[in-house]
Structure formats: structure tokens, C-alpha cells
Amino acid sequence: MSFTRKKVTRRVVIGSGIVLGTCGAGIGSAAFFALRGPNKQSNVGVLEFQHPLAIPPVLEPTIDADGTRRFDLTLQTGSASLFPQGDSETWGVNGPFLAPTLRARRGDSVAIDLHNELPEASTIHWHGMHLPAMMDGGPHQMIDVGTIWSPSWEIEQPAATLWYHPHPHGDTAEHVYRGITGLFLIYDDEESSLDLPRTYGVDDVPLILQDKRVTEDGQFDLNAGSFLDNFTGSLSFGIRGEHILVNGTFDPFFTVTTSVVRFRVLNGSNTRFYNLGFTDDRSFSLLASDAGILRGPLPKLDRLLVGPGERVEILVCFEAGETVILRSFEQDLAVEGVVERQIGGE
């Protein structure tokens, strides 16, 4: 991903990673992911970072007479131009791919009207939310085709970056992979009192990382392949793709207009881990994890391992006229020996 800043101009390009570069200048380097294992993949020198980073839109709720914040969501099929190979058949929420960002404060009462216009039953699970089980949208709470499910609850947890996605038994990975993924941001008085970047899409920027395997005509390839084909040094196994989308954008860049940016990173991939860092090894601070804001920022990091479903918030400083790449570095998860023993029957 590349960030470009006006006046203090920085450009960020995101493709299988994130690139920062100067406004009006060419991108000096390409972002990529280098993976371990017998089936290494890399997009070094392939990406040109020519697509502006899409920012998931914020869905504003309607306010009921009792003050409840009501969000209207529709699970639907669609088509999106995601890859050079051609348009992809996708699933999304209130659009063809991904889902809008929902926002609420601690103490708010929220209600969701979920319409299922998919070709099969699904669910929506509020990942990381503190709420009654009957409202949680797991496999026990299926939404049949053509029906509406309307959960409601009160937000009673600290500020945090959460996300929502399908969770049907046996089909969770496929339904998420097809595109139903969205952020649910929780705020509270403590977070609001801190001197933090908080302009959504400007200096408070979501980064939903997803890897996709694509057929020659641009369709999602849902074939998980064999154990060996998919082993790349990660702790889990399943569909791994050679293309990386950030907020549903392939080969992206982002224009940075401030000297400090808060990135809310969601690893929305099915099985892939990302070892995030910048190519110039600049340090950044970890502001928050899955559970919310830390007691104090963890400074001077240059690598951060993020697993599937995990969320982190980081603070990064930028200077005018620079180019830098945010990418996933190789990981030392020490599992090659385990694989060899399994294959060899030891």
C-alpha cells in the first residue's frame, strides 16, 4: 500500500502489502508478501500500486423512538472488478463485496435488521462483541433465504476494533472468503479523551487484509488444494491465495495527509498469518489489540505477527516526500519439522 501526503505529502500503496510514497512522484518500490515453505509465493516487482485504496463506507443508523441505533444490512450476491483477470462473482453486505463499517459507543442500544438475499442460508457473527448468545449469530442462529433476523443488544465493553462475518457450521470459511466481512468500531469516553488520530478514512484508516486464489477468468478458486500445496510456514491450513486484497483493492495506494496515522488492521484471511513491517524497518507503536486500547502504547516495534481474525491498531509516523512499503515478512513459526514428521510417519 502506498501513502501520499499533501503538503507533507506521502503516498501509500497497498497491494500484497502497503507502500508509502510521495504525492505526484512514482512509486519507488512494490509491496509484496514473501512466504515460507515448499510453495513460496512472492509478488516482488509485480505490483505497480495504481489503484486508490477503497475505504469501506460508514453505515449511519436510523434512531428509533427509544434511542436505539438501528442498522439495516442485506446479505447479497454481486460482481466486482477486483483482479486483472476479469470481474469476479462475489458476496457482500449492502454492496457486491465486503460490508459497511458500523460504529457505536459504549452504552448504546443497537439493533440490526439482517436481510438474507444470498442463494443459501447464512449467519452474521459479531466477532469480539460482548452480547447474549442468542444475539451472537453463530451456527445456532441461521438466517434462511428471503428472511430477516433482527438481533438487538446494549454495547457494554471498552472501545475496540471488532468485525462481523458469517459463521454457519461447516461453511464459515467459504462465506467469509466470498466477501462478507465488515468492521464494527466501538468507542468510549476513555478512548475519546486520548489524543489519537480519529478522522475515519483520513488518519484513522481501516486495512482489511485478505488473500485470494483466482482462476484464469478472475473467479475465486475455493479449492483448498492438498496439505503440501498450501503449507507455507503458517500454523493453520486451508485456502491460500496468491493475490492480496486490502479493503477489496488490488494493487492499491493511499494518500496520507497527516504526520501520524492510526491503522486498524484486520486479518480477514482464512488461514494466512501476516508478519507486518515496513521495508525501511521504521518503528511503529501498537495502540490496541482485539480487546481494545492497551494501557499504554507498545513502542518501537518493527514487526507484528497478525493471525486470522485478529485485529490490531498501530500508530505510524510519516515524513514528507518519502517512499516506504508495508509488507508481510517471512515468519519463523518453527513448523517445518512438524510437517516433515507427519509426512514421514515419525
Side-chain angles (χ1 to χ4, degrees):
M1 170 173 180
S2 155
F3 302 89
T4 306
R5 190 175 168 207
K6 299 176 183 175
K7 201 158 191 180
V8 185
T9 301
R10 297 149 196 159
R11 188 177 185 185
V12 181
V13 180
I14 313 171
S16 296
I18 297 173
V19 178
L20 310 171
T22 56
C23 179
I27 304 304
S29 53
F32 61 92
F33 291 94
L35 305 177
R36 303 182 62 198
N39 187 25
K40 284 192 176 183
Q41 301 175 35
S42 174
N43 58 11
V44 179
V46 174
L47 301 179
E48 298 180 358
F49 307 106
Q50 55 186 343
H51 301 128
L53 175 69
I55 301 296
V58 172
L59 178 63
E60 297 296 344
T62 58
I63 309 300
D64 292 350
D66 63 357
T68 298
R69 299 169 64 84
R70 184 171 297 275
F71 298 92
D72 193 74
L73 301 178
T74 299
L75 311 182
Q76 63 182 78
T77 61
S79 177
S81 181
L82 301 175
F83 307 104
Q85 290 93 328
D87 289 351
S88 305
E89 295 180 1
T90 57
W91 288 7
V93 180
N94 293 14
F97 190 65
L98 296 185
T101 296
L102 309 184
R103 302 191 294 191
R105 293 188 66 84
R106 188 171 193 172
D108 284 346
S109 293
V110 300
I112 316 286
D113 292 326
L114 274 161
H115 308 253
N116 184 8
E117 296 183 2
L118 298 173
E120 59 190 84
S122 190
T123 72
I124 287 293
H125 166 61
W126 317 104
H127 195 125
M129 190 75 72
H130 300 179
L131 76 173
M134 65 185 299
M135 304 296 177
D136 196 31
H140 63 288
Q141 186 58 71
M142 298 298 291
I143 313 170
D144 290 331
V145 176
T147 66
I148 301 174
W149 177 51
S150 297
S152 60
W153 67 93
E154 185 172 340
I155 303 292
E156 278 299 341
Q157 65 189 95
T161 297
L162 313 181
W163 68 303
Y164 60 102
H165 62 84
H167 208 319
H169 179 66
D171 292 320
T172 296
E174 179 178 332
H175 286 206
V176 175
Y177 194 83
R178 289 181 180 276
I180 300 182
T181 299
L183 295 175
F184 201 138
L185 309 184
I186 305 299
Y187 300 86
D188 64 11
D189 292 343
E190 181 179 352
E191 189 273 346
S192 297
S193 71
L194 300 175
D195 184 17
L196 292 173
R198 60 183 70 260
T199 304
Y200 181 82
V202 177
D203 61 5
D204 185 354
V205 182
L207 300 178
I208 301 174
L209 309 181
Q210 297 174 307
D211 62 332
K212 304 295 182 185
R213 178 181 293 180
V214 185
T215 63
E216 292 183 358
D217 61 352
Q219 304 307 312
F220 292 156
D221 184 352
L222 301 176
N223 177 19
S226 70
F227 177 81
L228 279 177
D229 286 343
N230 285 284
F231 180 69
T232 54
S234 180
L235 291 176
S236 56
F237 311 95
I239 300 173
R240 300 181 194 281
E242 70 278 15
H243 297 301
I244 305 297
L245 298 178
V246 184
N247 298 349
T249 310
F250 175 74
D251 196 14
F253 69 87
F254 177 72
T255 300
V256 174
T257 58
T258 60
S259 58
V260 181
V261 178
R262 173 187 189 175
F263 292 112
R264 298 178 186 257
V265 180
L266 162 65
N267 182 351
S269 299
N270 282 10
T271 61
R272 190 181 297 287
F273 283 67
Y274 299 105
N275 189 25
L276 299 177
F278 292 91
T279 50
D280 62 357
D281 288 327
R282 72 177 57 204
S283 64
F284 51 88
S285 297
L286 177 63
L287 171 66
S289 64
D290 287 352
I293 304 292
L294 304 179
R295 290 186 177 181
L298 186 60
K300 298 183 179 179
L301 299 178
D302 59 18
R303 299 290 184 272
L304 185 60
L305 187 66
V306 184
E310 187 176 1
R311 289 87 61 209
V312 295
E313 299 179 34
I314 62 173
L315 295 173
V316 187
C317 296
F318 297 107
E319 302 234 349
E322 63 184 354
T323 299
V324 63
I325 301 168
L326 173 61
R327 56 159 285 195
S328 179
F329 289 81
E330 291 189 9
Q331 306 156 32
D332 184 10
L333 298 178
V335 288
E336 290 94 334
V338 174
V339 174
E340 290 170 1
R341 285 195 296 272
Q342 288 178 345
I343 295 172
E346 297 179 11

